[in-house]
Amino acid sequence: MNTGILGQRYQADDALGYYEGPEVGHLLLRAFAEAGLDPDALDIDDLASLDEFRALGRAATVALADLASVAPRERVLDIGAGLGGPARFLAARRGAHVTALDATLRFCRAAELLTRGAGLADRVEVVRGDALALPFPNATFDVAWSQAVSQNIADKPRFIAEATRVVRPGGRVALFEVVAGPGGPLRLPVPWADHERESWLMRPEELRALIEAGPLELVAWNLGEAALATIAAAAQTLRPGTGAAALGLKLLMPDFEARMAGLARNVAEDRITLVQAVARRSGTHQ
Ligand SMILES: C[S@@+](CC[C@H](N)C(=O)[O-])C[C@H]1O[C@@H](n2cnc3c(N)ncnc32)[C@H](O)[C@@H]1O
């Protein structure tokens, strides 16, 4: 096992290594220049094709924010925040105060650059850290939020336990996850892995059992088509042209389109599916 970026030992080291690569700041600045965007006056809608770093883009974030009823002034922790697109959305459009935590240094740096450029540094704080050892006291947040991260994490019980620990009683854990389907083993590559050792997909019933085993009450559980329906409805609410065409995840992963095609093939063959889960933390308010 390698030593992780924070000097701790990670079960998910191979997965974290998967996300390492060159710094992205200069790529972003060049792309903004080509797209005619002012890097000091960024519109979060223009960024959505780049900073929603997973399948189904901004619409998936809108759908999860609705399901989790994220409200103004709530304190949200985005676990595995990537470039911080969902965090900025929750701050700018839902009035939340968001902590965007990610383990990958180059993504944290890019998240800070984009957050400053969007004028949201007073409402979005970027923190480098590990989902399995969250650097926050118990009950710090109203919402612990995570999208498309657990597929890179082996220790699912600890992932759920840490998200639950940092939420106050009455707060919510909100997840949008890729999970294993009944159609057979994953076909690689996919956007989160080149090798089997980088991917840990759980079955939906395992995720549900983990949630229900903790001090959490499941309030929304949308699997497969049910999740896709909420995301399709959310997509209708987006401004036409959301996501500047010159930006895109190909800036981070040049072969991203081929990887997305791999993802779509796995979905079509029922090897994977998507789930949205929102659970309320039980216990008394502190
Ligand atoms: C597919 S991206 C999703 C990013 C973001 N949630 C989004 O939806 O735009 C997965 C992210 O999880 C992060 N990640 C993976 N393992 C992690 C861990 N143990 N702790 C914190 N972040 C982690 C990666 O660095 C990467 O930014």
Side-chain angles (χ1 to χ4, degrees):
M1 187 186 288
N2 300 323
T3 301
I5 54 169
L6 300 178
Q8 297 159 353
R9 287 170 172 271
Y10 288 98
Q11 282 185 293
D13 262 349
D14 286 329
L16 286 170
Y18 172 78
Y19 288 107
E20 291 299 347
E23 286 294 321
V24 287
H26 65 286
L27 295 176
L28 296 177
L29 293 174
R30 196 167 62 209
F32 295 152
E34 284 168 8
L37 301 176
D38 178 351
D40 296 320
L42 296 169
D43 177 335
I44 66 158
D45 284 347
D46 287 332
L47 298 177
S49 49
L50 168 75
D51 66 6
E52 297 273 352
F53 187 10
R54 91 199 94 69
L56 300 172
R58 172 63 51 82
T61 293
V62 173
L64 189 63
D66 288 346
L67 267 186
S69 306
V70 177
R73 289 181 297 285
E74 284 201 305
R75 297 155 301 163
V76 179
L77 173 65
D78 186 352
I79 303 169
L83 302 191
R88 284 182 292 278
F89 169 82
L90 292 171
R93 299 290 150 76
R94 301 297 158 103
H97 292 273
V98 188
T99 300
L101 174 135
D102 203 281
T104 305
L105 181 58
R106 67 186 188 127
F107 294 162
C108 291
R109 288 199 181 119
E112 277 182 338
L113 185 148
L114 295 172
T115 299
R116 275 197 308 276
L120 290 166
D122 58 335
R123 276 174 280 164
V124 177
E125 183 191 17
V126 179
V127 172
R128 188 186 184 197
D130 181 8
L132 299 181
L134 294 172
F136 309 105
N138 297 349
T140 302
F141 298 96
D142 298 299
V143 180
W145 161 292
S146 191
Q147 296 186 102
V149 178
S150 75
Q151 76 280 346
N152 285 121
I153 291 183
D155 191 345
K156 313 289 189 197
R158 191 157 157 201
F159 175 70
I160 299 293
E162 275 295 271
T164 306
R165 179 183 68 74
V166 298
V167 167
R168 66 164 171 83
R172 289 89 76 211
V173 174
L175 305 172
F176 176 49
E177 298 294 340
V178 186
V179 288
L186 186 68
R187 284 189 197 227
L188 296 159
V190 285
W192 66 88
D194 282 323
H195 307 285
E196 276 179 32
R197 66 174 183 274
E198 293 159 339
S199 179
W200 287 274
L201 291 177
M202 62 186 146
R203 296 195 311 278
E205 56 274 20
E206 290 172 325
L207 173 60
R208 194 173 172 135
L210 271 180
I211 293 171
E212 291 180 335
L216 294 170
E217 180 201 353
L218 204 50
V219 291
W221 176 261
N222 291 330
L223 182 63
E225 291 299 323
L228 292 174
T230 71
I231 294 168
Q236 300 298 316
T237 69
L238 296 178
R239 189 190 73 174
T242 292
L247 306 181
L249 281 162
K250 58 187 179 302
L251 285 172
L252 295 182
M253 286 184 182
D255 57 353
F256 187 74
E257 278 169 22
R259 289 177 186 278
M260 288 307 282
L263 175 70
R265 190 182 58 192
N266 278 290
V267 171
E269 294 174 1
D270 244 355
R271 295 171 190 275
I272 58 175
T273 185
L274 299 166
V275 64
Q276 296 161 320
V278 178
R280 187 173 302 281
R281 179 154 187 194
S282 54
T284 49
H285 287 264
Q286 293 175 335

